[in-house]
Amino acid sequence: MKITFNIHYHTEAGYKPAVVGSIDELGAWQAVLAKEMQDCGGGRWELEVDIPFFVKAFEYHYLLKSPDGTAVNESGNKNHSARFITGKERYYLFDYWQVAPYNPALYTSAFTQAVFAHPQQHCPPEDEEKEIIIRVNNPYIDKNQHLAISGNHPSLGMWQPELAPEMICTDFPMWEIRLSKNEISFPLEYKFLIRDKKKQVIHWETGENRTLPQLPCSDEAVYIISGFPYRDDRALWKGAGTVIPLFSLRSEQSFGIGDMHDLKLLIDWATMTNQRLVQILPVNDTTRTHTWRDSYPYSAISIYALHPIYISLADLGTLKDEKKMAAYRLKQQELNKKNAVDYEETEKYKLQYCRDYFEQESARILRSQAFKSFVSANRIWLVPYSAFCYFREKYKTADFSKWGEDAHCQPFHIQALCSEESKIYPEISFTYFLQFVLHSQFKAVSDYAKRKGVILKGDLPIGVHRHSVETWIEPSYFNTNQQAGAPPDDFSDTGQNWGFPTYNWDVMEHDDFIWWKKRFRKLEDYFTCFRIDHILGFFRIWEVPTDYVQGLCGHFRPALPYTPAEIESFGLKWNERYLKPRIGRAHLDEIFSPAAHKELGAYLFDEDSDHLTLKPSCNTQRKIEAIFGKRTDALSNELRQGLYAVANQVLFIEDPYEPGRYHPRIAGTKSLAFAELSENEKSAFERLSNYFFYERHNIFWKNVALKRLKPLTGSTDMLICGEDLGMIPEPVHDVMQQLNILSLELERAPKTLGHHFSCLPRLPYMSVCTTSTHDMSPLRLWWHSFPEIRQQYYQSVLRRNGTAPATCSPRIASQIIKNHLDAASILTVIPLQDWLSASDELRNQRIEDERINIPVNPDHYWRYRMHLTLEKLLAADGFNEKIRTMIADSGR
């Protein structure tokens, strides 16, 4: 076949467009092998290529080669594509240089597969031989609408919109129509328009008429004209949604915890109230101890496996043993009466039910083609995960360092262990079964959401547990001698220590980030949108040495730590004592009470006449933690926290990767070590700290993030959101904007220095606006807990006089939600607790029960559960009509 590429592009002298594509004849995606185009004058460029007949389709894009050999790609995220018709030997492709679409979010699977999804159509048989194919991209077309083309020729309706032929949706958002060259005259002028099912015009595209000039004369040739995307001047699309952890849902069918069946009911409620998005927290398996400590959803033991606790027993099937079935129903009633999730009891009985059902049905299930297909398609992760689960139960711990000869993953061994011939296959197959059921149920819910036009949004945790499948089978990707966390923020003055190992990004980059790309692909099985938890971790992560319990003495990685000479250039003479924790006698009373003073001799000794330091037996926070163990009396708690504080009294931290280079301790100006400096030394330390944390790394971290995130965002069609709260480096906004990642915006957590609240009408369009997150107090609890902020908000934001009421009434809650719905963000996503706060009848009277997480507490029990059933919520006609009206009035 002979293919001729045509493009209009005005270049500077010495620059040439070129074509690179997925086949060898176009360089197999290697830019250095891209085929240069020939200048035909007037900004028109052409390239003719011979392609073997067996090639039925390929993808390609254009790039611009400079005189020095460098190349610049088109800015669009999608490649051009060509599909060939059997029997045709000559093709002319007329393209345009792709630019970023005016609303890139609409081109993601959130819209092309859910909100505006259109079924794939095939060319009518009578049009298959027509030579001219006109294509255009337009995702912004409701499911009950279609695209049409009108023009100056009878075949296009002679500009009469009711006669304009419909285009077919071959690969949404791509629309096309086929015309016969012999039936039209040139030049052909045309425009696109959107019509409803009654052929009423919804919108004409803007701008001048499109023109198709005389085409090259060639018998049996096919001409594919791919024009600029639909020119749209309608108001930007905006939608509303709900966020809630899956475990927090409650229905009449659930078994002590939210499950896949409940998620479908939540989608029904979202559809009923004209919401377009449902967001949940991570649902990966977190099982390490079979205790409530496994309730933390961001501490996954597998980046692929789902948590068995989310299986819907109602959808799984019933037991034939009526006595057992009756006992389970009694337990279900007992667990469903509880205000919160009883994690341990729920997991115990749900797993036992699944085991009983598997014993009853295993012969049928294991023979089924669906089960076999699932195992075959997912073997690469399912086998090591199943082996991990087996060893966890065998050794009574998920800490694989305690697994003896199985501590190091041996691929051939675990393949044999998990084979059908293995003596433990009955147990392995049960694990396979659990994941098969979870996948089947979740996929059914995902497909249901798409049919309903609802975006299902997932959550990608930034880390994995240090005792996880991935750290066991792929240890080279992790730094297990460090802990991921966060620097001090509004949640915690001493920072956060999540305990996760940090990533070895150099190894990941060498593997082309395949580990992350596989994670993204797994999310695509269920979601059309996802949130990157702590997206700042792709710029730099807060690393905490394993000797520390708290996060205060961490450091950023990657970073540019100071040399002693650089430190002294700010006017602070370098001294090794800045690295060693100690406390001045004069400051002891600021940390310890008189009662605790009497005990300090066991933990501190004299460094000099004015200072004390920690004894070798307790000179790290981990040693201090071990000494006090689980003691909870007041004196032990005071001593524990006080000694932690002494361990934090340093001004610099040596870089573990570059000895002799140093990080200023974050919040060092608040330390007792800083208080002992001279005024000149204080001034110098403040300058070097401010420069280090707010200026030194900006360009460096921007380049790091682009190197990591660009290939990852380019590997998925999902709509991506980033949780960009906390200590935000300057380049974060630019990188997220460049990569079309939605930011997270909260009114009570403004990103503009000096502001108490965000200005909702001025938020960026490419953002998600919300009233609270799972790490914060829900709306009513926030209102109740901070009287001074409440009063300021009441007067400056709600514009009301007088004293703010102590409780957040439904009227006030409704106004706050309305303000958020009116925000400029593309998405306003409200926690379910906050939606319910707008109703006096439906709101939970125990506002403290609505808190999901307390970040400052690493041992928090994640157990919030909605207090009413989803069936009752679906039946709340008055409340649901109120939400529908609020959303409609906001233009969402």
Side-chain angles (χ1 to χ4, degrees), residues 190-224:
Y190 61 96
K191 267 189 172 182
F192 302 107
L193 64 151
I194 301 171
R195 294 188 313 207
D196 62 19
K197 291 184 177 180
K198 296 180 179 180
K199 294 194 173 184
Q200 296 296 310
V201 176
I202 304 299
H203 185 261
W204 278 93
E205 75 166 332
T206 60
E208 298 179 352
N209 295 339
R210 300 177 186 242
T211 302
L212 181 61
Q214 182 67 47
L215 296 172
C217 292
S218 177
D219 294 335
E220 298 300 318
V222 176
Y223 307 86
I224 302 176

Side-chain angles (χ1 to χ4, degrees), residues 23-40:
I23 56 177
D24 291 340
E25 290 74 16
L26 293 176
W29 293 126
Q30 297 184 59
V32 294
L33 300 179
K35 304 296 183 181
E36 291 187 358
M37 306 185 77
Q38 300 302 311
D39 187 354
C40 299

Side-chain angles (χ1 to χ4, degrees), residues 582-596:
R582 65 177 189 170
I583 184 170
R585 292 182 181 278
H587 297 296
L588 284 174
D589 292 341
E590 298 178 39
I591 297 180
F592 299 102
S593 68

Side-chain angles (χ1 to χ4, degrees), residues 19 24 32 40 56 164 234 242 249 270 328 366 455 459 476 492 520 532 559 581 592 601 661 715 760 821 842 889:
V19 184
D24 291 340
V32 294
C40 299
K56 301 301 181 185
R234 289 174 292 172
T242 293
L249 297 178
Y328 279 120
L366 297 182
I455 301 167
D459 199 332
S476 63
S492 173
F520 282 26
I532 299 179
F592 299 102
R661 289 180 173 267
S715 70
L760 298 180
L821 290 171
L842 299 182
D889 289 347

Side-chain angles (χ1 to χ4, degrees), residues 460 462 477 479 484 502-518 520 530 532 534-543 555-559 657 699-716 720 729 735-736 738-739 741:
L460 181 79
I462 187 62
Y477 284 147
N479 297 312
T502 59
Y503 296 118
N504 190 338
W505 282 102
D506 291 338
V507 175
M508 289 180 162
E509 182 182 359
H510 183 264
D511 289 347
D512 195 30
F513 303 109
I514 189 63
W515 189 84
W516 285 98
K517 290 177 181 178
K518 289 190 292 186
F520 282 26
F530 72 100
I532 299 179
H534 194 66
I535 195 173
L536 304 183
F538 286 86
F539 292 76
R540 78 295 183 273
I541 197 69
W542 187 250
E543 271 194 349
H555 58 273
F556 287 121
R557 185 178 189 228
Y657 309 99
I699 295 176
F700 175 66
W701 282 338
K702 180 176 183 178
N703 292 334
V704 166
L706 286 172
K707 183 169 64 174
R708 296 171 179 177
L709 283 169
K710 198 168 185 177
L712 298 182
T713 57
S715 70
T716 182
I720 305 176
V735 170
M736 293 178 69
Q738 182 176 334
L739 300 179
I741 300 173

Side-chain angles (χ1 to χ4, degrees), residues 565-585:
E566 287 178 303
I567 293 170
E568 292 187 348
S569 72
F570 286 91
L572 180 66
K573 185 171 178 57
W574 174 246
N575 193 316
E576 292 283 337
R577 68 176 172 82
Y578 296 148
L579 302 171
K580 300 174 182 178
R582 65 177 189 170
I583 184 170
R585 292 182 181 278

Side-chain angles (χ1 to χ4, degrees), residues 394-444:
K394 175 182 177 180
Y395 293 102
K396 308 300 182 185
T397 178
D399 183 353
F400 47 82
S401 68
K402 300 177 181 178
W403 289 357
E405 62 182 6
D406 298 308
H408 299 286
C409 179
Q410 303 171 60
F412 292 110
H413 174 56
I414 65 171
Q415 288 289 342
L417 192 74
C418 296
S419 68
E420 292 186 30
E421 294 75 28
S422 170
K423 64 180 181 181
I424 66 163
Y425 186 69
E427 188 61 32
I428 296 297
S429 63
F430 177 62
T431 304
Y432 288 176
F433 159 74
L434 292 175
Q435 291 303 311
F436 166 65
V437 171
L438 282 160
H439 171 75
S440 302
Q441 292 187 354
F442 203 1
K443 190 67 172 65

